[in-house]
Amino acid sequence: VITLASPLIASVLFYPTVLLDSSSSLLFSLLLAQLPVFTSASPVPQRRPTDMDKLSNQTKNLMKLTQELLREHAFDSDVEPHRFRSLPEMSNRSANDLNNLELKPTLSQLHADLKLYEHHFEWLNKVSKKHHHPALPKLVEMIREMKSLINLLHRQMLRVEAPRLTQATPSLPPHLPYQFDVLQSSHELLQHFKLFCDWAYRAFISLKPKVSAVQ
């Protein structure tokens, strides 16, 4: 169905006999040429986000949750380091490595790292419940977001045929008798995870063109 854009076009179309001279004929031709502009204009469809877009966005959201937890429960004193012996090693990952990442090994390693963090944060969630940790609701939300990210990453791994690595057994701290111990462990784990999220976010962005090349 053609909707006429203006009374002028309508008058030209329905009363062509009025256009007798050459100038009127030229005007009629010009108006007809403009009809597609008035009648067929439609919004440009938006590009659907890819799984790699979703991975980077969810990682960014996890980093934001981590930063909020650190701000809400900041420490004035130094936190005892190295309570966790089995967290992913971050000292050997730098921004200079991002352009040289290989697709399949990196996706597999990020998945294994996230599974390891998942075990640590589920442990932290359990001990936080015993001590009525004030950050518990946001911690539960964080674990839920982490599980969603792991599932999305696993789906991307299947698409590019990236192998799933053997899961390492986490080495968790012994029983924490005091709430202060829980708070210190929370702080160390969150600080470490914030560094991981920052690196993983950049890695997903760097890997996006390589995923497009193999799909």
Side-chain angles (χ1 to χ4, degrees):
V1 179
I2 297 178
T3 303
L4 298 179
S6 68
L8 178 58
I9 296 177
S11 65
V12 171
L13 288 177
F14 290 108
Y15 300 101
T17 55
V18 178
L19 304 176
L20 300 177
D21 54 26
S22 59
S23 61
S24 296
S25 297
L26 178 60
L27 175 62
F28 180 71
S29 299
L30 290 173
L31 288 172
L32 284 179
Q34 293 298 316
L35 274 177
V37 176
F38 293 111
T39 60
S40 63
S42 60
V44 178
Q46 292 185 345
R47 182 182 65 84
R48 293 182 62 183
T50 65
D51 275 353
M52 293 303 290
D53 292 324
K54 294 175 183 177
L55 283 168
S56 58
N57 289 337
Q58 283 192 234
T59 305
K60 189 174 183 179
N61 186 48
L62 264 175
M63 184 163 58
K64 181 181 177 183
L65 284 171
T66 305
Q67 291 169 333
E68 289 174 358
L69 279 166
L70 284 168
R71 280 196 301 267
E72 291 173 7
H73 305 283
F75 281 84
D76 295 327
S77 59
D78 292 334
V79 177
E80 178 187 342
H82 309 307
R83 287 172 174 255
F84 300 96
R85 307 293 181 180
S86 57
L87 289 174
E89 181 60 53
M90 296 302 301
S91 61
N92 58 356
R93 308 184 195 190
S94 67
N96 296 329
D97 301 327
L98 291 172
N99 292 330
N100 300 319
L101 293 177
E102 296 182 30
L103 176 61
K104 295 181 183 182
T106 305
L107 292 179
S108 298
Q109 188 60 58
L110 288 171
H111 182 269
D113 291 345
L114 281 166
K115 290 294 292 182
L116 201 53
Y117 279 114
E118 180 187 23
H119 284 300
H120 282 79
F121 277 105
E122 284 180 338
W123 167 85
L124 182 62
N125 186 42
K126 289 178 182 178
V127 298
S128 296
K129 286 179 180 178
K130 294 179 182 179
H131 291 275
H132 307 289
H133 196 297
L136 194 58
K138 192 160 287 186
L139 188 60
V140 171
E141 179 186 358
M142 186 175 173
I143 294 172
R144 184 171 61 247
E145 288 287 328
M146 195 180 304
K147 290 180 182 293
S148 175
L149 178 60
I150 290 170
N151 290 335
L152 182 59
L153 177 53
H154 186 243
R155 186 170 69 186
Q156 182 63 65
M157 289 167 61
L158 292 175
R159 286 182 176 178
V160 300
E161 299 180 347
R164 183 168 179 170
L165 302 181
T166 303
Q167 184 63 52
T169 303
S171 174
L172 299 171
H175 173 65
L176 303 180
Y178 304 108
Q179 186 176 16
F180 183 73
D181 295 315
V182 177
L183 291 173
Q184 281 200 319
S185 297
S186 303
H187 190 81
E188 182 184 350
L189 187 53
L190 288 168
Q191 285 282 15
H192 201 283
F193 188 61
K194 184 182 73 169
L195 292 176
F196 170 81
C197 286
D198 182 65
W199 194 89
Y201 170 73
R202 298 169 191 269
F204 285 133
I205 292 177
S206 177
L207 291 173
K208 182 179 175 181
K210 298 180 181 181
V211 170
S212 302
V214 300
Q215 289 182 339

